[in-house]
Amino acid sequence: MRFINHMRLQFDARPENESFARVAISAFTVHLNPTLDVLSDLRTAVSEAVTNAIVHAYGEKGGQIILEAAIREDALLLLSVRDYGCGIENIDRAMQPFFTTQPEKERSGMGFSVMQSFMDSVQVTSSPGEGTCVQMEKKLLATAPQQ
Ligand SMILES: Nc1ncnc2c1ncn2[C@@H]1O[C@H](COP(=O)(O)OP(=O)(O)OP(=O)(O)O)[C@@H](O)[C@H]1O
Ligand SMILES: [Mg+2]
């Protein structure tokens, strides 16, 4: 199926860029007139993935995050958040509800669960020492947009 739009953003892994990423994904999709609920789900999922890249992948030393999104002609949004940080050793364990490697920082271990509940699909690929890519999909509209 054809893609009608695509974007790729690269930005520093800094806490202030979590809101930048949220605004960017809203601005990229809003022309299709998704419901406020869909927009809010997207913003939350992007925010969780970007926060993970900031706090877990890079920590103090920082690095780069790449946010990529594409809209297919049937209004499916494909989204990816990529980092080149520490990577995840055991992805299945990391994705379990309440699993966190930062309990001392009062993290709840619910980020991946939130992404899974707000998006239609979430797939994680990761290599220790090389980084992580979180790929997500969500249908933006119940019916295909008029073109
Ligand atoms: N991009 C990443 N790079 C390295 N490790 C990651 C990354 N994303 C997630 N993780 C690992 O997966 C665990 C679970 O992530 P998840 O977002 O579900 O919970 P959390 O970030 O620990 O807590 P919360 O999101 O509730 O604040 C993290 O504690 C971390 O160990
Ligand atoms: Mg998290």
Side-chain angles (χ1 to χ4, degrees):
M1 218 177 278
R2 225 165 42 92
F3 286 93
I4 55 176
N5 204 359
H6 170 255
M7 69 94 166
R8 188 174 191 272
L9 282 175
Q10 179 167 346
F11 50 89
D12 290 348
R14 298 176 61 84
E16 55 267 42
N17 284 338
E18 185 198 322
S19 60
F20 169 65
R22 265 205 307 262
V23 171
I25 200 62
S26 303
F28 183 68
T29 53
V30 77
H31 69 98
L32 285 173
N33 279 324
T35 63
L36 289 180
D37 281 350
V38 167
L39 267 183
S40 157
D41 291 354
L42 276 181
R43 290 159 62 94
T44 305
V46 165
S47 176
E48 290 293 338
V50 168
T51 301
N52 279 351
I54 297 168
V55 303
H56 299 297
Y58 295 120
E60 294 296 301
K61 70 179 187 320
Q64 295 293 300
I65 296 174
I66 295 168
L67 170 66
E68 201 162 357
I71 300 172
R72 220 168 59 176
E73 60 186 346
D74 60 349
L76 183 77
L77 177 77
L78 286 85
L79 190 65
S80 72
V81 177
R82 171 177 290 280
D83 66 65
Y84 299 97
C86 68
I88 302 174
E89 258 178 47
N90 184 334
I91 296 172
D92 289 340
R93 189 184 58 171
M95 291 182 78
Q96 273 166 23
F98 305 114
F99 176 84
T100 181
T101 46
Q102 292 192 344
E104 73 288 353
K105 297 202 175 141
E106 299 193 354
R107 299 215 163 268
S108 58
M110 290 304 287
F112 281 126
S113 303
V114 167
M115 292 178 232
Q116 284 172 321
S117 66
F118 288 158
M119 300 294 280
D120 297 338
S121 81
V122 178
Q123 285 191 330
V124 181
T125 49
S126 188
S127 304
E130 288 179 19
T132 301
C133 184
V134 179
Q135 291 175 288
M136 301 185 264
E137 292 182 359
K138 190 172 179 76
K139 203 75 192 276
L140 294 177
L141 302 173
T143 54
Q146 301 297 316
Q147 289 177 51

